[in-house]
Amino acid sequence: MSDQVQEKESLFSAKNRKLISNAIGKDNPITVQVLGICSALAVTAKLEPAIVMSISVLFVLGIGNVVISLLRNTIPQRIRIIVQLVVIAALVILVDQVLKAFAYEVSKQLSVFVGLIITNCIIMGRFEAFSMANKPWPSFLDGVGNSIGYGLILIIIAFFRELFGSGTILGWNVFETIGLYDIGYVNNGLMILPPMALIATGIIIWVQRSRNPELIKD
Amino acid sequence: MNSNSNSYIFIYSVVMVVIVAAILSTAATLLKPMQQQNIKNEKMSSILASVNIESTPENAEELYSKYVTQELVVDAKGEIVGTFENGKLSGDARAFDVNIKAEQFKQSQGEAFISPLYVLKNQGKTFYVIPMLGKGLWGPVWGNIALEDDFNTVVGVIFDHKGETPGLGAEISTPIFESQFVGKSIFNKSGEFVSVTIQKGGAQTLPANMQNHAVDAISGGTITSVGVDDMMKDCLKNYVPYIKNQK
């Protein structure tokens, strides 16, 4: 993954495209690297916070990867982790402030978890493993790819949790409209609780591994 | 310059911190008015919601000025020390700006404190809205309770919380829990203040004469339920002298 990209390579060369497709598929940060699980469990009870969280991570990781990549030759080795943390913290505080100003309701639902993007292992992991050794453009693609991979899983989990837990999608009453309550369906409170997010993540990992046997190493 | 020398690292970190601080403080200063407006709108919406008036962040301010006719501030003896009416303030403080947390601290220190009270008029009826603040399991819980003009019957309540457990303690802010309070009374037949008890095991386990002063607690949210119960008793009892004065 962290090979140096050749000079004069086209913007979307096969190698660059792989940076995105790999991160979504067989190198997905959540299901394969099992990173960023904490926030995935916490914000997926409803679809809207999951989407906002994904966008926030996309912003922090996309910009952060570029910033670190631009600075990579100036960052002193001995304080590189501190520099990475400062970049993440600054971007996260920006996201938090903007959400509080323009999406107040969502920022309340996300509460501490936007702040906890700082400790999201995916972001530190990508800074350390990729953008410290690569040029800005591949780093940007890598950041975008990984956050899409992260966001995709979040949105899939949140879709099922909100649908079966509250009977709604983005606040729209799906089950009521199709009349599922009339034939005796009751909202499943377990879906709203954190353990169900863990089980849902487990099921996604299971499905992905059974379809991609090369992921099973041992 | 050697990028591993101490002086390089020192200069590097100083420059980095200064740049980041400049960016963040600019952003915070620029966004502050909008954030405060959001907080204000939410507070107004919550006051309106306790008497079942729906509002959105866009029209909260307009509806608030339409329905809230008076903002009162009462002291521990039940005297009115501040009135805000038709955009004019008379007395010491405006109810909307009273910091309940600071007042509760003063109260705990045995100092003089004040309590805010909102008077709403809707379809010829007068309602009194009392804001409340207390402790849940993971953080503060707060809310508004609306009383009819007999200062006894509950018209509606709104609760909110900082971070109670979803599905358990967080259920206090759902309509299922809040609607239980409608029609309950906070004074018993002989006129003593009893508040509304949040009863573990359900209100129907109480004697019949107490059931009008109790609602069912949240299953699996005992500490949050107890927190809300304490909050209601602690906050409402500060208004008892004022209510007695009115009767």
Side-chain angles (χ1 to χ4, degrees), chain B residues 217-229:
Chain B
I218 302 276
S219 311
T222 305
I223 297 177
T224 312
S225 297
V226 170
V228 172
D229 189 81

Side-chain angles (χ1 to χ4, degrees), chain A residues 18-40:
Chain A
K18 242 191 170 144
L19 289 176
I20 291 191
S21 61
N22 262 355
I24 295 173
K26 63 173 192 261
D27 204 16
N28 188 294
I30 293 190
T31 58
V32 180
Q33 303 175 37
V34 200
L35 296 176
I37 290 290
C38 344
S39 57

Side-chain angles (χ1 to χ4, degrees), chain A residues 71 73-79 82-83 86 89-90 93-94 96-98 100-102 104-105 108 111 192-194, chain B residues 3-6 8-9 12-13 16-17 20 23-24 27-28 31 34-35 38-39 42 57 160 162 165-168:
Chain A
L71 295 175
N73 294 326
T74 70
I75 297 174
Q77 270 299 307
R78 278 194 281 166
I79 59 162
I82 299 173
V83 175
V86 170
I93 294 170
L94 268 183
D96 192 34
Q97 295 282 331
V98 169
K100 275 193 184 131
F102 298 107
Y104 189 66
E105 277 304 306
K108 272 201 321 182
S111 64
I192 306 284
L193 296 177
Chain B
S3 74
N4 276 321
S5 71
N6 284 345
Y8 179 84
I9 292 175
Y12 194 91
S13 18
M16 176 181 70
V17 168
V20 169
I23 295 173
L24 289 186
L31 296 170
M34 281 170 268
Q35 294 170 353
N38 283 332
I39 293 169
E42 194 204 6
D160 209 346
K162 179 116 191 274
T165 321
L168 300 173

